[in-house]
């Protein structure tokens, strides 16, 4: 099902082998597929071990959160999905994915990024939060049976190069190369994101989520003290973001009470 790994990706992965743990081993590369999350789920259903990673150069049916599609043209982004099986870490994988992308992109390219709850990776815009542009997204999809959780597929899409984004995306998206004003190699970004994710997973698998939550809070300054509007399954809600709870829920102060948002979309006002 997979194709030979391009040499630039292979070299970067080799350079981070000691820091990646089991992430990226084995790694299946495809020049094009429907969705790397679907391919990784097929491997997981056949018993692939935790850390099995699928990377594609293009996706024809890439998907994002909330039923959206993820624009995935050839050569413009990194599209990867990782098979995760650790039940202790599972509830925190979306938060860990966002942190790992910020840490990995900075390690590989120097570009500073931020997180917008729950796990959008965006450009920092200190004074005007609404002007942030999305660079990457994380989609965790769980599969359970009567025996409990079978696996989580952690999908990550990172915009590397400028692309002809669809009109509804163009106003809100950017790429690493656009922000840096120079070309960027995909290999080090892939390898450093996997290494950063491995570092976040170590305490999580021991049952200690506090290092991840501390890091997430530091990388998501707008999750505290910013006026927000939230579109939730239960309706629209306006208030002031006041951080995340230890289970990852966004806390929003609305008048005298604090609401917990566990799913939905945040818009800065
Ligand atoms: C989001 O909506 O922000 C999440 C986007 C996740 C996109 C990635 S690309 C690799 C993997 N395969 C998919 O179909 N989706 C995820």
């Amino acid at each position: 099902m997979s194709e030979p790994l391009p040499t630039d990706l292979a070299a970067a992965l080799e350079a981070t082998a000691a820091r990646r743990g089991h992430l990226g081993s084995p790694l299946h590369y495809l020049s094009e597929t429907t969705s790397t999350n679907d391919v990784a789920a097929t491997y997981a259903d056949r018993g692939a071990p935790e850390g099995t990673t699928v990377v594609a150069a293009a996706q024809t049916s890439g998907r994002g959160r909330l039923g959206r599609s993820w624009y995935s043209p050839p050569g413009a982004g990194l599209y990867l999905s990782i098979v995760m099986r650790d039940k202790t870490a599972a509830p925190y994988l979306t938060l860990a994915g966002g942190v790992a992308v910020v840490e990995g992109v900075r390690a590989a390219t120097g570009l500073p990024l931020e997180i917008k709850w729950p796990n959008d990776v965006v450009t920092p815009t200190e004074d005007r939060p609404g002007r942030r542009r999305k660079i990457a997204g994380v989609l965790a999809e769980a599969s359970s049976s009567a025996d409990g959780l079978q696996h989580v597929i952690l999908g990550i899409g990172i915009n590397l190069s400028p692309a002809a984004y669809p009109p509804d995306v163009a106003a809100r998206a950017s790429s690493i190369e656009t922000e840096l004003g120079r070309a960027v190699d995909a290999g080090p970004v892939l390898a450093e994101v996997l290494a950063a994710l491995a570092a976040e997973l170590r305490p999580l698998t021991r049952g200690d989520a506090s290092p991840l939550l501390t890091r997430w809070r530091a990388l998501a300054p707008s999750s505290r003290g910013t006026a927000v509007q939230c579109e939730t399954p239960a309706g629209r809600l306006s208030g002031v973001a006041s951080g995340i709870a230890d289970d990852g829920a966004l806390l929003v102060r609305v008048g005298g009470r604090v609401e917990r948002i566990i799913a939905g979309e945040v818009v800065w006002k």
Side-chain angles (χ1 to χ4, degrees):
M1 190 134 104
S2 52
E3 302 165 32
L5 187 61
T7 50
D8 57 327
L9 296 189
L13 288 165
E14 179 62 31
T16 56
R19 292 187 285 127
R20 281 187 291 107
H22 52 280
L23 301 187
S25 306
L27 189 143
H28 302 279
Y29 177 81
L30 297 161
S31 48
E32 183 180 284
T33 191
T34 50
S35 159
T36 54
N37 268 31
D38 289 342
V39 179
T42 301
Y43 278 115
D45 288 340
R46 293 179 189 162
E50 161 137 338
T52 300
T53 300
V54 177
V55 176
Q59 298 181 117
T60 53
S61 310
R63 60 178 176 272
R65 292 176 60 239
L66 308 172
R68 297 181 182 134
S69 58
W70 184 260
Y71 184 59
S72 314
L78 257 180
Y79 318 113
L80 67 138
S81 300
I82 309 156
V83 176
M84 309 298 299
R85 294 192 181 275
D86 187 283
K87 292 184 173 60
T88 315
Y92 299 98
L93 289 177
T94 51
L95 296 182
V99 169
V101 172
V102 175
E103 307 275 22
V105 168
R106 189 197 279 264
T109 72
L111 180 67
L113 294 170
E114 286 182 2
I115 298 173
K116 170 180 177 271
W117 185 91
N119 47 31
D120 285 357
V121 175
V122 298
T123 56
T125 311
E126 274 162 31
D127 47 342
R128 299 175 67 182
R131 302 248 337 248
R132 290 180 166 91
R133 283 175 176 260
K134 184 161 169 174
I135 299 282
V138 177
L139 177 68
E141 296 180 312
S143 170
S144 302
S145 71
D147 297 335
L149 182 75
Q150 293 303 302
H151 62 252
V152 177
I153 303 301
L154 186 62
I156 298 176
I158 305 175
N159 299 335
L160 284 177
S161 329
Y165 299 111
D168 57 321
V169 176
R172 296 178 288 109
S174 186
S175 70
I176 296 175
E177 291 190 351
T178 304
E179 297 303 313
L180 288 173
R182 63 174 170 82
V184 161
D185 293 329
V189 177
L190 170 65
E192 292 295 343
V193 168
L194 291 176
L197 183 59
E200 296 302 330
L201 288 174
R202 259 171 233 124
L204 279 182
T205 53
R206 293 194 306 265
D208 182 6
S210 56
L212 171 68
L213 292 168
T214 301
R215 199 66 198 122
W216 192 96
R217 289 173 177 129
L219 292 174
S222 62
S223 67
R224 187 171 285 278
T226 306
V228 291
Q229 186 168 294
C230 305
E231 306 286 348
T232 79
R236 183 175 294 177
L237 177 153
S238 292
V240 176
S242 38
I244 56 162
D246 285 355
D247 63 357
L250 180 69
L251 304 173
V252 179
R253 183 167 294 283
V254 184
R257 65 182 200 279
V258 174
E259 297 280 347
R260 283 168 46 85
I261 312 294
I262 54 169
E265 180 85 337
V266 169
V267 183
W268 282 291
K269 292 207 289 190

